[in-house]
Amino acid sequence: MTGYQSPAGFTDRIDAAGAVAASLSEILALTSRPDMISFAGGMPAPELFDADGISEAYARALTTPRRVLQYSTTEGDPLLRQAIAERLSRQGMATEPYELLITTGAQQALSLTCAALLLPGDVVLVEEPTYLVALQCFALAGARVAPVRCDGEGVDPSALDEAVRLHHPKLLYLGPTFHNPTGRTMSGSRRHAVASLAARYGFWIAEDDPYRELRYQGDAEPWIASLPEAADRTVLLGSLSKSIAPGLRLGWLRAPAGMRRACATVKGATDVHSSTVDQVAAAVYLTEGDMDGHLELVRRAYEERCDALLGGLVHSLPAGSAYNRPCGGMFLWARLPEGYDATEVLRRASGYGVAFVPGAPFFSGPADRRTMRLSFPTHPPSEIEEGLRRLRLAFEHDSTT
Ligand SMILES: Cc1ncc(COP(=O)(O)O)c(C=O)c1O
């Protein structure tokens, strides 16, 4: 965490959050060459946005300009709450519209949860590694973060039990489905184990779930928020960023009444409400557009891109590397053999015109510097193959190991 200059007069919390961001932006600065094939960004593929369908939804929303250009309620536009509640209910998470607070992305849903729940010094337990911007949120809240050991199935329940007894956390933050950064999905039995521990010890869970709609293989696992043991202590954070488009900046928070009201209070004081016109256009798209048909195209394209990456990785990473096979989402997690440092590898790889994100900034405890996150949606298979060729060259000519 170097290179961050503390602006005079700002709080330690701003410094801490700024340091988290700086650790990544220094790395990403390496990846800005125009012809770069980048496995670094966490962005959906823009050519796969349903631009016509979304434009049409905006046009329809604007047929009632006096309504959609006006202020609205903090909780969110009734049409959008209804549309999201119906979609969640159809997918197995029984939800009434009043149980949702519409937010400016899942990111704001997490910020509101932190502001509503956390006092400086409170402990937040996180998967190790975890989503970097969540670490920023916890730093801004003045919380102390403690990592919990994970394996291929997600959080290790015995490690969680131990961490809870040691740290007395107020919140456990999880990305159970197509986790950022690892791409891993938590198994059903682990979800139940986590829910039981939350009930036994009385901590809150933030279930951050922006990637759920991007499943291309296997069956969905239940939401932790749907399990009876954890239903009264789980805040479910959802998003339209990955299922429609991130520029809408729309998400939601589904939480028990007290928590939902607290988050609505914070939101009212923060931005009054999320954009009315965007909310209504999203509601029109969800109810009248071909969201499911379009999402299926996106899933198939991402699956193909994921397969292209998986197909070539074995020849591009050094022998002895390990990586997972995600069933959905946008990320794959790899670990290089002993002696490699992924940040050093990135310096070299960026010279060859290929980029990824080293895993180190995603760790809240001691970083595993051999790890790397590879994101596959943004390039078609032919470019992924070229990116893999460049990566292989970077390793072949690596004099650092
Ligand atoms: C795990 C996780 N949570 C939240 C977000 C924020 O999503 P949104 O665009 O809905 O704010 C992201 C974005 O990439 C993410 O990866």
Side-chain angles (χ1 to χ4, degrees), residues 13 16 47 58 61 64 69-70 78 117 139 148 160 188 195 200 203 246 278 305 330:
R13 285 187 254 168
E47 75 280 12
Y58 270 90
T64 54
L69 299 177
Q70 186 54 284
L117 192 65
V148 183
L160 177 58
R200 182 177 339 147
F203 54 85
D278 295 337
R305 291 170 191 203
M330 295 174 38

Side-chain angles (χ1 to χ4, degrees), residues 21 26 31 64 66 98 107 123 164 172 199 249 251 287 295 301-302 320 346 348 353 356 365 380:
E26 280 175 21
T31 71
T64 54
R66 287 181 182 75
Y98 72 82
Q107 194 60 47
V123 174
V164 172
L172 169 66
R249 304 306 308 127
T287 49
L295 249 182
Y302 285 10
L346 173 65
R348 185 161 195 91
F356 56 85

Side-chain angles (χ1 to χ4, degrees), residues 42 104-107 131 173 180 208 210-211 239 241-242 246 249-250:
T104 301
Q107 194 60 47
Y131 172 49
Y173 169 75
N180 183 3
D208 193 3
Y211 298 98
S239 177
S241 289
K242 310 301 187 303
R249 304 306 308 127
L250 285 172

